Structure formats: C-alpha cells, structure tokens
Amino acid sequence: MAEELVALSAAELSEKLQSKEVSSVEVTQAHLDRIAEVDSQVHAFLHVSADALKAAGEADGARKLGAKLNPLAGVPVAIKDVLCTSDMPSTAGSRILEGWIPPYDATVVARLRKARMVPIGKTNMDEFAMGSSTEHSAYGSTRNPWDFERIPGGSGGGSAAAVAAFEVPLALGSDTGGSIRQPAAVTGTVGMKPTYGGVSRYGAIALASSLDQIGPVARTVLDAALLHDVIGGHDPRDSTSLTEDWPSFAEAAKAGIAAGSLKGVRLGVVRELGGEGFQTGVSARFQEVIELASKAGAEIVEVSAPSFSYAIAAYYLILPAEASSNLAKFDSVRFGLRVNPPGGGTVEQVMAATREAGFGPEVKRRIILGTYALSAGYYDAYYGSAQKVRTLVQRDFASAFEKADLLISPSAPTTAFKFGEKLEDPLAMYLNDVATIPANLAGVPGLGLPMGLAAEDGLPAGLQLMAPARQDAKLYSVGATLETLLEANWGGSLLARSPMGKALRATESEKGAQS
Amino acid sequence: MSESHSLDSEQVAHLAELARIALTEDEIKKLSGELSVIIDAIAKVSEVATPDVPATSHPIALQNVFRPDVPGKTLTVEQALSGAPEREGDRFKVSAILGEEQ
Amino acid sequence: MSEQTELMDFDKAIELFEPVLGFEVHVELNTKSKMFSDAPNPASAEGEAAAQEPNTMVTPVCLGLPGSLPVVNEQAIRFSISLGLALGCEIAPSSRFARKNYFYPDLAKNYQISQYDEPIAHDGEVSIELADGRSFRIQIERAHMEEDAGKLTHVGGSTGRIQGADHSLVDYNRAGVPLVEIVTKMITGTEGSAPEVARAYVSAIRDIVLALGISQARMERGNLRCDANVSLSPRGSGKLGTRTETKNVNSLRSVERAVRFEIQRQAAILHGGGTIVQETRHWHEDTGMTSPGRPKSDADDYRYFPEPDLLPVEPSKELIDELRAALPEPPAVRRKRLKEAWGFTDLEFQDVVNSDLLVEIEQTVAAGATPAAARKWWTGEIARIANADGVDAASLVTPAQVAELSKLVDSGELTDRLARQVLEGVIAGEGSPAEVVQKRGLKVVSDDSALIAAIDKALADQPDILEKIRGGKVQAAGAIIGEVMKQMRGQADAARVRELVLERAESLR
C-alpha cells in the first residue's frame, strides 16, 4: 500500500484523497517513510518537517467538514531551501544561513498552506542556487536517483531528485538560468520555469532578481500544472509580479492529454541550441521527438537565434552583478552566521571574516566577478553590454515566435555527469546552461520534460519547450500531448525504468503476490 | 575590448575589499587565474552591444507599480531580533565601527 | 582634533578667496508608511511617538531579510513630484531606482535604494531673500528619491560618539523612511553673504515642504538634514578649490555657522600654504566646529546599477498637471498675500521673514490666534528663549500650542505674565498650555470675592492711600494694586483689580 502511494502522481493522489479512499495522513506517512528509507542515499532533503503529519491531519479534517478544497489539498510537497518557511530552517544551501528560521513565509509557501498542501521538507541546492550539480551545497551533494555516482543537476538537484526518487510527488524549485529545467532533464522529471512575473518571488532568497523565477517540479506535466495553479498569480509584495488573470494550467494539460495530436502547432527548432557540444545520445533522442511530433501533426520549422551564442556571456555578467548586490545583506548583523576574527575586530572586519567563512568558493567567485562587472570604469563594457545582449536575445525570440508557436530544444547538452567532473572548471560548468539561459534573459516560460534515455549511458535526456511570455498554458497543453505520445512509445513513464522505479515496482508486485 | 582581460591579484584583493570578503592569499591567487579565463570568455558581449541597441534591465516591461500608502502589520520586536547573532536590549549589537587607530 | 584648528578672520577670508557653495538637503517625507515597505513611517505625525521603541516599526523589507522585496509607496511618488514642481524642476517622463552599494551596519541590505542617472526631478530654481532684502537664485540640479538608513547608538566611548566606542547598537525603525534629496548646482557670487545664503536656502526649502505638507520638517529631529559643501577659490586664480562636505547640520542657525566656520578654516589652511583634504566633516553644535570624518577616496565605488526589483516610474501628464494645479502659491506671492492679510507694517513683516517664522506664524493664525498675537509670541518671547538656548524657535513649541496660549490670554484666563510661565512649562515638555496651567495652578483669580477681600484688607492696612484715592488721586491706587497682585501671586488680572480697587474705595466711604 505505502509503496503504491509513493509511486502515484499528484493527480492520482488527488483523486484518491477526494474520494476518501486514502487520507492525507496516510499519504504523508507513506512519503515520510519513503524519505526515511531512501534519503540517506539520495540526500535530497536538508530538513524534513516535524509538522507534516499535523498539516496532513488538518487537511483531512477540513475535508471531513466538507470544505471545498484545492485539488492538491492533502498532497505532500517539498520546498527548495531557497524559499523562506516560518516553521523550517531556510538556508539556501549556505553555511552563512545555517539554522536560520525566517519570521515569515514566502508567498508561494503561504499559498501551499492555504491550499492545504502538506509541506514535507526543504530540499538541497547549490549554495544560493549557484551551480548545476548541487556540488556547491554547503551541506553535501544530492545524488542522482538514476546513478548515485552522478549529479542530479542544479541548482535544484534536491527537488528534482526528491521527486525522481519517489520521496514526494511535487516540489518547488527556482530557475535563474535553468535550475528547474536542467535538473529535470538529468533526473527524468518535469520542471517548469514560468513567465517572469507569473509566480511571486517574495520570500525567495534572491540570486539574480531580474532572472529568478519560482516554478513547479513534478513527475508529470499535469502535476506540474496543478502545482502551478496553486502558486501562480499576482502578488502585491513583488513589484515585478504580473497582474493578469491566468487560465487554469491543469485544464490546459488535461486538454493536451486528451488531444493526442499536435495538428496546427508550429514547433520551432532553434539552430543554435543543438549540434556541436550536444551529446550524441541527447541529439538522437531529440531528433526522434521531432519526428514523433511531426507524425502527430506538428509543423516543424527551423528558426535561428544568432544572439543566443552571446547569451551565456551576458548571463554570467548580469547574474554575478545582481547577485553581488543581493548577497551583500549577509553581513552577520541581523541574521545568520557571525565569525569574529581572532582577537576581535571592527564591524568591517567581522563582516569580512563572516563572509569569508560563510560563503563557499563558487559564491565568492561570482560575488567578485559581479563586483568587478559593476565597478567604476567597467560598467559600460560589461554590465551595460550584457543588458544590450538581453535586448538582442529578446528580439531573436520575437522573430522566432513569428515563425513558430513554440520553440523546442534539448534542455541540457548532456546527460548527468559524474561528481567532480566539472568542479574544477567553472567555465565548463557554466556551459551546461546553454539551452536554458535564453528563456531567463527574455523572461519567457520554459518547460522541461523527459525525452528518453541516451543510448551511450542509459541516462535520461531532457526536452525543452519555450513559449512567448504569458503563454505558459500552451506549454502545458503541448507538453502534455508530447508526454502522452512518448509514454505510449515507452510503455509507461521514463522514471518507471529508473533503478528506483524498478525497485519500487518489484516491491509492489512482491507484496501483491504475498497478499 | 579585444585585449586579454586578466585580473591581477591586486585587483582581486581590491574587489574583495569592496565585497567585504576576507579572502586568503591563496584564494586571491586562484581567483585571479579563474576569473581571467571567465572574463575572457564573457567579454565578448561588447562585440554586439552597439550604441544603437537599448539596454534591457527587466525581462517583462512594466512601469508605475505602486502600493497604496497604508501601514500594514509589522514584525514583533522578538520576531525582528529572532535571527540576531547578538543583541543588547531590543537593538542589534555590532562590534565597534572604527578601529583603535582612529 | 579641534584644538589646533586655526581660523582666519571672516572678512579677510572673503577678501582673499571666493567661497563656492553647494547643498544636499535630505527631506524625510511624512507618508503614513515607508518608502518601499508597509511599515508605519516614524517620520509621519502618527509614527513619531511609536518610533521611540527600537525595532518596533519594521517588516522583513526594512530589515533586509533574505527574500524580502521592495514595493514603491505611491504617495511618496506624488509627494516627490510635488516637491520637484515646487522647486521649479522638470519632472522626468521616466525615472528609475538604482542600487547604491556600500557596507554599513545601519544599511540593512548593504545597498541603498536611491536614484542615480535618472532622478524624478531635475533642473529647478529656488529664489531666496536675505535680511537686507537682496535676493539670490539657487539653481537646483536634481531632486531624487531614496530610503533612509537605520540609527546607530555608539556604546562605551566617553562621548557617545563613534570614536572610542566599544560597540554599537542598531535600530532599524528609520530604515526605509522615504527621503527626497535635493542637490543644488554650484553656488557662486555669494561673497561675504555665503553663510546667510546658506541659511536662507535651507529655510526656503523648509518653507516649501511645510507649505506642501509633505514633511514634518523638524530639523532637530532629522526630518530635514543639510549637507553643506564649501570650497574656496583664490581670488583671480579662476581655479576651483577642493571641497569639504559638512554633515550633521541640524538647525538653520547651524547651517549659517557651519558655512562660516568652514570658510574661515579653509582660508587659514590655504593661506598657510596647506591643502584642503576632500572629505566629509561633521558639525558639532556644542563646540561650533567641524571635525574630519571619512576621507573621500577611490574606494568610494558605489557600483550603481538599475534596481532590478523595481520598475520605472513614468508619471502621466495628467498626474503632473493635477499636482501642479494643487501646488501652494510661490513664496513671493505668498509673502505679499500674508503681509496684507495680517496687516503688518513693512518692518514687522521683514522681522518675521528674517526670523524664518513665516510658516509658524501662518499656522498659529490658522490655529486661531490673531496675527498680532502670533507675531508677538514668535518673534518675542519664543525667539528670545531660542536665542538664549542656541536653537531654532520652531523647535521649541508647535504653532498649535502657541495659538492655544494666545487664546487663553485673549479670554482673560491668563495674564501676559502667567502666559510666559505657561510657555516655559510647554517648552520644558510639561504638556499642552492647558495641561501646564492645570499642573502649575496658574489660573487667573477671576473670583471677585477673593480679590475684594484682598483689596479691602490692603485698603484697611493703608488708610492714607485710601484717603488719597478718595481725594481723586487715582494714581495712588497703584500701591494697592501692587499689594493685591502680590497677594494673588500674580494670578489676577491687573485691570480688573484696578477697577475693583476704585469701586471699593468709593463703596467703603
């Protein structure tokens, strides 16, 4: 029973909860047990909530009273540690915030609670979301459930791995340059970076304010859409939050599943997001998806986005610049770590000693880089130029979207690499974000979903769909159609073929045989 | 900007001072090498950033986003000071701002 | 530090050097909530009292907690535009916020949200008038919006100053209070009037923000703060001197004194062959001197960049027109109107203007006092006490208090003499005039029976005087009146006593 519950999608759990076939307490307990069982190996969680069962009980209580509940009421959800939670430590994977419990909830967290979802814990991440592997977490790396020797992607490797390891059906992530989509790609899961402003950033510990976006992490497109419906929408506490009324993303995903066809959809293949630098097995799977989509009625067009080749450069100027300023608040005065230099010192020396001890090497690297990019005499050449590249990237998107309804590409150039492989070569690590960064620079939404296993290593490869700003619903409908077609080919979900997925099924059938 | 964009140790040390990080000598040396490589790679933004291209600072262009002038709920003093590494009474405590030589 | 400061005689300094001035005036807006957070504003009328308790007026935004985000207060934008218009500025069709990055423990985020290359208002002009009637035009370079920092308390030093302190304490109540910084262009040609021009300029800004009602404008509370830039150019050299920026100048009187001091100090250094260090200096009210602060250096690299958490401010033409239409009249027009309405002579009115009390008197009249009484109190007793204490008259009492006092005199409840005692009590912080009257028991004895008893006793004690009064020597009543007033400890209306004395003298016949 418990194994069965953790293998279910959020949508399936939702049905069972609504029909009162299971209680939220049962569902939550099953997931807590699963975490207790596997997380010592996966290390997806930095903190497991002591109040999860209480929240589950309250959701059950509300249901008993006949309250009209959100479809996800009673469903457990994990929260990336970049988000402020008033009942759990919020460290952003950094030593400098060790043990810090914020006196407030992030808006998205408050919305989870309001929907009576069950926050089950906080997930691991690269320190302050800087990285593509979780190797930059101050609390140890998360392992990829497909292969414990490999990275789960980053920065949101914890959320992706938790979902891939069936520790939780849903999680929240944050995506500044691919931190939701790249982990989804390498763990065979689904992740969505909404339109900039579509989901509130209030209470998300900022990396780069003009790039950060909170989004859902799940095992299916429909689950991601259900969670997006809970967290999305205007928040007056975030000035960059969009005010429009959004359609139901879950309805869009359901329509996509039902459609079974991509007739009338123009899919644009971005010339610059493929070819050289992309792993053979990734490119092969991508070609198959294109053929599949074409067979399903989609019109495939090739589009060019020449300025995308400058996107990484622009990104690694804008991000460090904004981050260097955003991270200045970690100064040992109001919260977090304080390190006094030997023999004491002035407040300036205490701040410098604290930041030296509290920040990891990648954070220091980017703060120094950002400080340089903004400093007198360099601003125009670096930060100023990067902001102009941003304009060019937006123009490329605009012209591409004249020819295509959605753009399609691999989410990441490679499958999961091994721990340590790129740790000493920051530039190589940065190149991992080549396909995901343009969407952040332009603020457009991007959906990542599995597209199969690369032949050479048997590891998942990820597909990315991008839409014009504010057309997130289109991603869910087309994404759900593609997912349905792919799973029909595979004869089930990709994750079911992962070692952990197989083990779970084996235990289930064993139990089934016993009973 | 076609020349090499090397950052020497002295520059890194100055940047670390601006960023209030007490980097060690080793870190400074290592960073100066790493950052020079990175800056070489990212300096290419200036190739296409011609004067006729306007800068974009927000991905989605909005303007005049305001809040009505209505006071809301504040934190309690205990909440405000809950994360303070050190406090004295209801204020945050920090070391002396000026060193002894001043 | 200050012992060795040499000063040159002011007139000689002006003979040798031409002073060049510049001002940065920070105005705390009195919006109900803060600039970027919905925390109540301690610089508002409602917030002042509550701000006494540290860290009680803060939200995650004021503390710069991780994850918190700023949202702009619409009223602060309206106030800033109004101020820009009143300063004769152009209002930028698009302006934006920028981050000014520097580490300091009173700055919660370690960057200040300010405006940099795109301020909301620019290129204005303010006319000022000196005591002798000469007027100057001060060019305004820009007025931009920003947020205030928290307050530091330095502990363990001998003086409570930053030097020698053992540690410091931070209260973030003030963090995020909306500020407008008004920056002048370089001001030349003031010559020996430089100190008076400085005072008149700050006074003019104060008048403007008070007339607009956008700030409490109490300099002693830091609602209005002036940084004065002073440099000296040797006569005939055509070269600009190195400037210093004097901070912490928190009264009109100090603005004048600080500028005079800097001119004398810099002149002495330059004349002795020395050079001026470009630095921030602090004004000390007690010693009347400035002392060196932080030197300006290349390390001042604020790394300004557009604030990514906030969006451009693009006021519509309709909004600007609406705010322009609602502007109070220009100072010159206003002065003319008030002078006529109040019926003051030229001399009386000039006296009011020169003592920077126009707004106070206007508000006192609005609160119900007669113009004559308002003028008499402000330029008389209150100005005298302010002078003796070395503070601005406006910092002592509020117009409402003066109006209340004046009404108590008009209704005969207080004599002039009693009213002066009540004023003392109000200044000492004993409460409103009515409360002081109550606490000190200063009411005029208006009970005739008590007066008659005292008069009868006095007349009986001095029969010779009674005779004189009866004999028609009315002046003789003075002795009796004096005696009665003494008995009543001054709490009687002398005119009434005089009436009663004459009555009793007749009736006792």
Side-chain angles (χ1 to χ4, degrees), chain A residues 38-385:
Chain A
V38 304
D39 205 56
S40 58
Q41 291 167 288
V42 180
H43 191 45
F45 284 88
L46 293 179
H47 182 89
V48 178
S49 172
D51 298 325
L53 287 171
K54 189 168 153 255
E58 284 166 10
D60 287 336
R63 197 181 302 281
K64 258 189 210 127
L65 290 173
K68 190 175 173 336
L69 298 178
N70 184 282
L72 292 181
V75 176
V77 59
I79 298 166
K80 189 179 181 182
D81 207 32
V82 77
L83 291 162
C84 285
T85 45
S86 57
D87 57 349
M88 290 184 268
S90 307
T91 70
S94 181
R95 191 65 68 195
I96 211 162
L97 274 181
E98 190 164 3
W100 182 61
I101 299 180
Y104 76 111
D105 274 332
T107 296
V108 289
V109 172
R111 289 184 180 177
L112 298 181
R113 296 194 207 276
K114 194 161 168 252
R116 296 204 176 273
M117 292 187 71
V118 178
I120 204 163
K122 304 295 290 285
T123 57
N124 196 16
M125 56 185 285
D126 286 293
E127 185 176 6
F128 290 112
M130 294 183 192
S132 311
S133 68
T134 70
E135 288 166 293
H136 295 305
S137 168
Y139 305 101
S141 306
T142 296
R143 298 195 183 90
N144 191 322
W146 288 78
D147 178 352
F148 290 157
E149 301 298 305
R150 291 176 189 267
I151 60 105
S155 65
S159 282
V163 168
F166 302 92
E167 295 177 89
V168 69
L170 293 170
L172 291 182
S174 69
D175 191 313
T176 305
S179 286
I180 288 177
R181 291 161 290 158
Q182 182 260 4
V186 299
T187 58
T189 56
V190 174
M192 169 78 166
K193 181 203 96 71
T195 296
Y196 183 83
V199 179
S200 169
R201 292 185 295 118
Y202 189 77
I205 300 172
L207 169 55
S209 313
S210 74
L211 301 163
D212 295 346
Q213 197 46 206
I214 306 304
V217 174
R219 287 193 292 267
T220 71
V221 173
L222 173 58
D223 281 6
L226 283 163
L227 184 53
H228 194 162
D229 281 340
V230 171
I231 59 173
H234 180 64
D235 177 13
R237 294 195 178 279
D238 175 359
S239 304
T240 59
S241 168
L242 299 174
T243 51
E244 39 256 90
D245 289 325
W246 298 86
S248 161
F249 300 121
E251 289 309 317
K254 284 177 190 164
I257 293 168
S261 146
L262 292 171
K263 223 174 209 80
V265 179
R266 294 175 304 162
L267 289 180
V269 178
V270 187
R271 194 184 301 147
E272 287 76 9
L273 300 183
E276 206 192 332
F278 283 71
Q279 194 179 314
T280 320
V282 171
S283 299
R285 287 300 170 211
F286 182 67
Q287 275 317 311
E288 286 170 21
V289 170
I290 296 301
E291 282 155 29
L292 181 74
S294 175
K295 259 189 231 161
E299 183 192 335
I300 309 296
V301 293
E302 186 172 305
V303 297
S304 177
S307 60
F308 280 18
S309 51
Y310 294 90
I312 289 194
Y315 176 82
Y316 278 98
L317 285 165
I318 294 169
L319 179 144
E322 292 185 9
S324 71
S325 175
N326 281 334
L327 266 52
K329 59 169 62 87
F330 299 96
D331 64 357
S332 83
V333 176
R334 294 161 307 284
F335 46 79
L337 183 73
R338 173 173 294 181
V339 173
N340 289 300
T346 62
V347 67
E348 181 177 336
Q349 289 161 337
V350 174
M351 284 181 183
T354 301
R355 290 162 66 79
E356 164 63 13
F359 289 145
E362 179 64 15
V363 172
K364 289 179 198 168
R365 188 151 48 224
R366 295 205 200 175
I367 288 177
I368 299 295
L369 179 59
T371 305
Y372 174 67
L374 289 177
S375 60
Y378 296 102
Y379 180 92
D380 288 338
Y382 293 134
Y383 191 76
S385 296

Side-chain angles (χ1 to χ4, degrees), chain C residues 49-311:
Chain C
Q52 300 305 312
E53 298 300 321
N55 294 307
T56 52
M57 300 175 87
V58 295
T59 65
V61 179
C62 313
L63 292 179
L65 293 188
S68 63
L69 293 172
V71 185
V72 176
N73 181 341
E74 178 161 31
Q75 183 73 317
I77 298 287
R78 293 172 66 96
F79 282 5
S80 302
I81 294 172
S82 293
L83 179 52
L85 291 170
L87 296 170
C89 288
E90 298 281 323
I91 303 302
S94 179
S95 77
R96 58 180 173 175
F97 291 98
R99 290 189 188 175
K100 180 181 184 181
N101 294 287
Y102 65 97
F103 283 83
Y104 211 70
D106 63 5
L107 192 62
K109 303 178 292 298
N110 288 313
Y111 59 80
Q112 180 191 33
I113 305 179
S114 180
Q115 295 193 294
Y116 182 52
D117 52 354
E118 296 174 59
I120 191 156
H122 57 92
D123 293 302
E125 187 180 275
V126 173
S127 291
I128 59 164
E129 210 172 292
L130 301 188
D132 58 13
R134 278 184 302 151
S135 63
F136 278 88
R137 288 177 167 193
I138 308 292
Q139 303 299 315
I140 305 295
E141 183 171 305
R142 56 189 279 157
H144 68 254
M145 299 178 282
E146 58 186 30
E147 56 178 339
D148 213 339
K151 261 185 191 156
L152 287 166
T153 310
H154 306 294
V155 183
S158 50
T159 55
R161 284 186 197 154
I162 190 167
Q163 290 86 357
D166 169 67
H167 61 273
S168 299
L169 303 174
V170 203
D171 165 18
Y172 291 99
N173 279 349
R174 197 179 65 182
V177 167
L179 289 178
V180 176
E181 179 176 341
I182 304 164
V183 183
T184 64
K185 292 185 178 159
M186 258 188 340
I187 303 163
T188 55
T190 59
E191 301 299 341
S193 305
E196 289 82 15
V197 167
R199 179 192 174 116
Y201 169 69
V202 179
S203 171
I205 297 293
R206 189 171 151 271
D207 282 355
I208 289 170
V209 300
L210 281 171
L212 288 167
I214 61 172
S215 173
Q216 299 297 96
R218 311 274 299 246
M219 290 191 78
E220 74 282 5
R221 290 192 187 163
N223 298 144
L224 196 78
R225 310 197 285 267
C226 174
D227 300 342
N229 296 320
V230 178
S231 69
L232 296 183
S233 165
R235 296 261 168 218
S237 73
K239 277 190 294 191
L240 280 179
T242 304
R243 70 189 166 87
T244 60
E245 180 180 352
T246 303
K247 287 187 181 286
N248 194 30
V249 197
N250 53 12
S251 72
L252 293 174
R253 195 166 160 269
S254 302
V255 172
E256 186 170 344
R257 291 169 72 205
V259 167
R260 179 179 297 270
F261 179 88
E262 266 307 286
I263 291 172
Q264 292 180 269
R265 187 187 71 86
Q266 291 185 17
I269 292 173
L270 292 171
H271 193 58
T275 52
I276 305 300
V277 183
Q278 185 172 351
E279 63 185 356
T280 298
R281 297 183 67 85
H282 293 276
W283 170 251
H284 302 286
E285 190 70 48
D286 46 357
T287 58
M289 296 193 215
T290 65
S291 71
R294 213 166 46 93
K296 294 256 177 196
S297 72
D298 295 342
D300 285 340
D301 185 346
Y302 293 123
R303 290 159 283 134
Y304 280 101
F305 73 105
E307 164 60 282
D309 287 326
L310 294 173
L311 298 143

Side-chain angles (χ1 to χ4, degrees), chain A residues 472-483:
Chain A
D472 305 46
K474 224 181 242 177
L475 291 180
Y476 285 114
S477 63
V478 172
T481 305
L482 275 172
E483 178 187 54

Side-chain angles (χ1 to χ4, degrees), chain A residues 100-101 103-104 195-197 210-211 238-242 309-310 312-314 316-317 322 332-338 340 345-348 350-353 355-356 359 361 364-365 367-369 371-372 375 378 381-392 394-395 424 426-427 430 440-444 469-470, chain B residues 1 5-7 11-24 27 30-31 34-35 37-62 65-67 72-73 75 78-87 92-102:
Chain A
W100 182 61
I101 299 180
Y104 76 111
T195 296
Y196 183 83
S210 74
L211 301 163
D238 175 359
S239 304
T240 59
S241 168
L242 299 174
S309 51
Y310 294 90
I312 289 194
Y316 278 98
L317 285 165
E322 292 185 9
S332 83
V333 176
R334 294 161 307 284
F335 46 79
L337 183 73
R338 173 173 294 181
N340 289 300
T346 62
V347 67
E348 181 177 336
V350 174
M351 284 181 183
R355 290 162 66 79
E356 164 63 13
F359 289 145
K364 289 179 198 168
R365 188 151 48 224
I367 288 177
I368 299 295
L369 179 59
T371 305
Y372 174 67
S375 60
Y378 296 102
Y382 293 134
Y383 191 76
S385 296
Q387 298 283 45
K388 290 184 168 194
V389 169
R390 202 165 183 168
T391 307
L392 297 175
Q394 289 200 333
R395 288 179 183 170
E424 286 308 309
L427 209 52
Y430 296 172
N440 297 85
L441 287 175
V444 304
R470 301 179 168 88
Chain B
M1 304 283 315
H5 305 83
S6 68
L7 258 190
Q11 278 174 290
V12 173
H14 171 65
L15 294 169
E17 214 175 289
L18 280 178
R20 284 280 189 286
I21 306 178
L23 294 178
T24 63
E27 281 178 309
K30 187 155 183 270
L31 273 174
E34 286 170 350
L35 291 177
V37 174
I38 294 170
I39 291 165
D40 250 347
I42 58 184
K44 72 174 191 178
V45 288
S46 56
E47 290 170 15
V48 284
T50 47
D52 56 308
V53 181
T56 294
S57 44
H58 290 90
I60 308 283
L62 300 174
V65 176
F66 304 133
R67 159 182 77 69
K73 227 179 108 197
L75 295 172
E78 284 317 309
Q79 282 178 321
L81 287 144
S82 62
E86 252 190 292
R87 65 187 277 185
F92 296 88
K93 184 178 172 185
V94 296
S95 304
I97 290 172
L98 298 182
E100 276 162 21
E101 75 277 12
Q102 279 161 305

